[in-house]
Each structure stands twice: as structure tokens, then as C-alpha cells.
Amino acid sequence: MLKLRTRARAPAPAEEALAHADALYHLARYLTRDASEAEDLVQETYVRALRAWADFTPGSNVKAWLFRILRNVFISRHREAARHPAGPAYDTIESGADEDGAAPVSQVSGDAMRRIVSGEVEAALRTLSEDARTVILLDLEGLTETELAAVLGCAVGTVKSRLHRARAALRLQLADYATREHP
């Protein structure tokens, strides 16, 4: 009996790129601090990536390449916004529950406690500079220092330095939280 060899088909550009959608969105969300803007940023990243797919070097790290595109799109938008500032934004977010109506800390559920903790970490991340926040978030995505350097467009030594300073700043921001009593 004759066996036919089948080759595993290489993923299409869209499939390979879409595998990183969640990671791109998380970084975009932290950079923009707005869900809608983050979605737009990721969408623009994919548009540019698909247009430039022919220029992508096969065998290279697609994830790092997409992060670099996202970062460049964000910087371009940020510079454009600085040149053409928008009018004042209207606050459409309703305020939360009254302090008097809040449940005692001992009665807070596990999910609520995780939201409190993640809120503290997110607030600490937001106090960092854009570069520091970006290098921390990309590090959390599991990129190597070499890949981080490619995404950020700088030397590996610069990445190490930025990562060290960003971690130190984050530790400092969260030091108060760590010393407080929590249930």
C-alpha cells in the first residue's frame, strides 16, 4: 500500500497574526487607557500588518513584529493628537456606590477582592511612564529581552535598564499596598 506524505499547511497570514489578538489588545488597553481606543489601535495594527505581510521575514517572531507595529501606530496617533488636540471630553461615567452603602471588607467576595487588587496594580502601572509601562507589559507577555529590543527599537542593554527601572518604580508604587493589612 502506498502512503502519501502530507505536509502540514503553514498558517495563513491572518491565522498566524490573529493568534496574538488578546496580547495585542492587553498592551493597547494599557497604553491608551480606553477600551474603544485599544480596539481601534489593534485593528489598525492588523491592517498595517496585513499590508506589510510580504515584507515579513518567514521564521521571524510574528508576535514581536506585531507588538512593534502596535507601538509605532500608538506613537503616531499620540503625536497626531498632540498636534491637533481635541476639545474637552465629557464625563459619561457614572459614579460608583456611596461609601455608606459599601459592604464591610470582611464580607467582600473573592472576585471583588481580586478586582481591588488588580485595581491597585493597574493604578500603579498607570503612574509609570509610557516607556516603563510598555516594557513591563511586554515582559509579562513573555517576550525575551532580544525580542523586547526589536519591538522597542533599541539595544538589549537599554531594554535591561528600562526593565530594571520600571520594576523598581512599580515596587515603589506597590510598597504601600504591600504593607497595608488586607483581609
Side-chain angles (χ1 to χ4, degrees), residues 16-17 19-24 27 45-46 53 56 60-71 137-144 147-148 150-151:
E16 195 168 350
H20 305 292
D22 288 340
L24 288 169
L27 177 61
T45 298
Y46 278 120
W53 193 260
F56 178 71
S60 296
N61 187 333
V62 174
K63 188 176 184 179
W65 183 64
L66 290 169
F67 276 125
R68 184 172 179 98
I69 293 170
L70 184 132
R71 181 178 174 272
L137 294 171
L138 290 173
D139 181 51
L140 290 173
E141 286 297 330
L143 295 177
T144 65
E147 292 168 338
L148 283 169
V151 170

Side-chain angles (χ1 to χ4, degrees), residues 115-138:
R115 283 192 301 274
I116 291 169
V117 171
S118 68
E120 292 277 344
V121 172
E122 187 171 334
L125 275 170
R126 287 186 176 169
T127 64
L128 300 178
S129 70
E130 179 186 315
D131 284 340
R133 190 169 51 246
T134 302
V135 76
I136 287 285
L137 294 171
L138 290 173

Side-chain angles (χ1 to χ4, degrees), residues 140-171:
L140 290 173
E141 286 297 330
L143 295 177
T144 65
E145 290 170 344
T146 304
E147 292 168 338
L148 283 169
V151 170
L152 299 173
C154 60
V156 174
T158 303
V159 167
K160 289 179 180 183
S161 175
R162 286 183 186 175
L163 197 51
H164 176 75
R165 286 192 311 264
R167 287 176 179 161
L170 196 56
R171 271 193 299 275

